[in-house]
Amino acid sequence: MRKMRRKGLASMAVQTVATSTDTPSVDLGPAAALSCRECGHRVPLGPVFACEECFGPLEIAYDFSGYDTEELRKRIEAGPANIWRYAPLLPVPADVAGKPNLNPGWTKLVQADHLAAELGVDAGRLFVKDDSGNPTHSFKDRVVAQALEAARAFGFTTLSCSSTGNLAGAVGAAAARAGLRSCVFIPHDLEQGKVVMAAIYGGELVGIEGNYDDVNRFCSELIGDPAGEGWGFVNVNLRPYYAEGSKTLAYEICEQLGWRLPDQIVVPIASGSQLTKVDKGLRELIALGLVEDKPYKIFGAQAEGCSPVSTAFKAGHDVVRPQKPDTIAKSLAIGNPADGPYVLDIARRTGGAVEDVTDAQIVDAIKLLARTEGIFAETAGGVTVGVTKKLIEAGVLDPAKTTVVLNTGDGLKTLDAVAGTGLTATIRPTLDSFREAGLAS
Ligand SMILES: *Cc1c(COP(=O)(O)O)cnc(C)c1O
Ligand SMILES: [Zn+2]
């Protein structure tokens, strides 16, 4: 990292590769190298994220060649009830389970028969993967856990990120547990629940006057500056490692379905990273022989007020035109999604779709999920449930097929979205008053 100071992002990637001989060698289990998603160029594992040849995004390439399918399945099943049961498939050291971290994952896969009945889905066919059960109540603990291991391996002493809210909390908590400094950046106008969640772990929390895309741009500048030296930005210079955490959603869903692929899966889109890695996870399980090789469809879900990917999908475009976000689904409010084009590829390749719902539909969907299944989702969960409903009504999602809908965060984080939900009645503490209110059985 020493030689990268004062360099821009692209030159940072080049610089690190050029000096890779003095990059300390790191052992991240089965992770073999970083590989460019555009041109396939490979470089050694390091804190880089852009290809030196074409500036395409780098991702982890693995060597799984030594694995025997049945041995691997047994090893996973005997593993801890968290994401580290899949350590043989992640860019982490072999002894990762013993290091202080938040041990996220292995969240519930809820068979949602009441919701299925309301949506016209066959009984036993609809499931909600409820990631509100993670340590900081969103799916972000999965990705941060991977980035933390990379930060340790590369010797970073400060953990940082640009965040739409949930990531800031996940980074703050992970750093606290690991004994690292954290300093995270969010748009200044986030929901109070998310601000408190991000601040409570004792790290530094900085509000930026601007939207997420402004925050992200600022962080990119900070990485190239001495002011950010020794900082691991989980979703920027550690992004290739971070992103792999989303594969664990796919692994868990299949294992919880009895090592079966779902037919259809509905995933929220912010940057699009999660959706692309859910697909990668499913393809790996097929390649490893852990699930049967059969088709599956991936559906992406956005809020209408920040729908650059669904707009491109519906228009048949390959490029994603940035938008200025304006939606209550703030955790998904990324107007210029880095993985947007890859999401389009995956939706089209698998026969899925990308759809969006209005803020009013998001609120209705939050209430629908709570009322039918006892799951209180944050706005992102309202987006996936709302999009699922819309796609079933449009005949795009098949109600006879096994469908998994992701809920990626807890409703307590976005209470404002359902403000006005409250008392049925206020009565005097008497039976007469109770009867007058029309509540007697
Ligand atoms: C971050 C986030 C997502 C997805 O983010 P990607 O950038 O698309 O990976 C989904 N739901 C919630 C609640 C999030 O915080
Ligand atoms: Zn490349």
Side-chain angles (χ1 to χ4, degrees):
M1 287 304 289
R2 291 175 310 278
K3 296 178 182 172
M4 288 173 210
R5 265 178 250 166
R6 290 184 213 278
K7 302 267 176 191
L9 294 189
S11 60
M12 173 177 152
V14 175
Q15 186 81 12
T16 303
V17 172
T19 60
S20 60
T21 42
D22 44 82
T23 305
S25 76
V26 292
D27 183 4
L28 292 175
L34 290 166
S35 154
C36 174
R37 271 203 272 181
E38 289 298 319
C39 75
H41 181 70
R42 280 164 85 107
V43 296
L45 295 172
V48 287
F49 56 97
C51 175
E52 60 182 333
E53 299 286 331
C54 74
F55 304 127
L58 298 174
E59 72 173 348
I60 311 288
Y62 294 91
D63 179 8
F64 293 149
S65 59
Y67 292 154
D68 169 83
T69 303
E70 286 318 310
E71 270 172 29
L72 178 59
R73 191 195 312 272
K74 280 197 198 113
R75 188 166 151 199
I76 290 171
E77 288 174 350
N82 58 51
I83 54 171
W84 304 128
R85 64 201 282 108
Y86 306 106
L89 307 177
L90 294 168
V92 290
D95 62 345
V96 65
K99 297 189 175 180
N101 76 91
L102 295 174
N103 293 323
W106 204 243
T107 56
K108 288 175 188 161
L109 183 71
V110 179
Q111 184 174 320
D113 285 346
H114 294 132
L115 180 62
E118 290 249 356
L119 298 182
V121 174
D122 293 5
R125 289 298 204 169
L126 186 63
F127 297 84
V128 176
K129 178 63 172 167
D130 187 12
D131 247 16
S132 66
N134 275 312
T136 69
H137 309 283
S138 89
F139 110 100
K140 287 296 196 299
D141 293 318
R142 296 177 185 275
V143 282
V144 169
Q146 315 304 311
L148 171 62
E149 294 316 316
R152 284 166 159 156
F154 301 135
F156 289 120
T157 49
T158 299
L159 218 51
S160 186
C161 68
S162 55
S163 172
T164 55
N166 286 324
L167 185 57
V171 166
R177 178 89 180 112
L180 296 177
R181 177 188 172 200
S182 73
C183 180
V184 302
F185 301 91
I186 57 174
H188 67 107
D189 61 348
L190 285 187
E191 302 97 326
Q192 204 213 346
K194 285 192 181 141
V195 174
V196 172
M197 279 289 296
I200 198 71
Y201 304 105
E204 289 136 350
L205 175 68
V206 181
I208 301 265
E209 292 169 3
N211 62 26
Y212 174 79
D213 298 290
D214 298 314
V215 178
N216 207 27
R217 214 172 307 120
F218 167 78
C219 286
S220 298
E221 267 185 59
L222 184 50
I223 286 175
D225 191 275
E229 196 191 344
W231 290 33
F233 288 79
V234 303
N235 57 338
V236 190
N237 55 352
L238 298 176
R239 190 173 182 82
Y241 309 88
Y242 160 97
E244 295 296 293
S246 291
K247 295 193 307 179
T248 59
L249 275 166
Y251 300 155
E252 287 180 19
I253 288 167
C254 291
E255 188 179 352
Q256 289 169 323
L257 288 172
W259 292 111
R260 283 196 194 88
L261 287 171
D263 300 310
Q264 308 176 121
I265 175 160
V266 185
V267 185
I269 300 168
S271 71
S273 173
Q274 177 180 173
L275 187 146
T276 65
K277 299 305 173 181
V278 165
D279 175 62
K280 189 181 185 194
L282 296 178
R283 284 187 286 119
E284 285 174 353
L285 294 186
I286 293 172
L288 287 160
L290 287 167
V291 295
E292 186 194 349
D293 186 0
K294 70 172 187 68
Y296 58 85
K297 295 184 180 185
I298 298 193
F299 297 84
Q302 294 207 293
E304 188 185 270
C306 183
S307 53
V309 188
S310 65
T311 302
F313 181 85
K314 291 187 226 178
H317 294 162
D318 295 330
V319 290
V320 173
R321 283 185 51 196
Q323 291 181 2
K324 202 160 184 289
D326 180 16
T327 170
I328 58 168
K330 294 196 172 150
S331 56
L332 304 182
I334 298 185
N336 189 10
D339 288 289
Y342 299 109
V343 169
L344 293 174
D345 287 348
I346 291 165
R348 291 181 178 132
R349 166 168 57 73
T350 64
V354 187
E355 188 50 273
D356 55 79
V357 282
T358 64
D359 283 358
Q361 288 170 320
I362 294 168
V363 172
D364 285 349
I366 291 171
K367 292 178 178 171
L368 174 65
L369 180 62
R371 167 167 71 73
T372 53
E373 301 298 341
I375 297 171
F376 184 21
E378 79 141 86
T379 44
V383 169
T384 49
V385 172
V387 161
T388 301
K389 182 170 189 281
K390 189 169 174 179
L391 291 175
I392 288 168
E393 285 164 2
V396 178
L397 261 168
D398 186 341
K401 296 269 174 74
T402 299
T403 303
V404 176
V405 182
L406 300 192
N407 171 40
T408 46
D410 194 315
L412 289 173
K413 293 187 181 231
T414 56
L415 284 173
D416 284 356
V418 288
T421 309
L423 300 176
T424 305
T426 303
I427 62 169
R428 292 182 305 282
T430 67
L431 286 172
D432 280 347
S433 182
F434 178 70
R435 285 197 191 88
E436 274 163 32
L439 297 169
S441 66

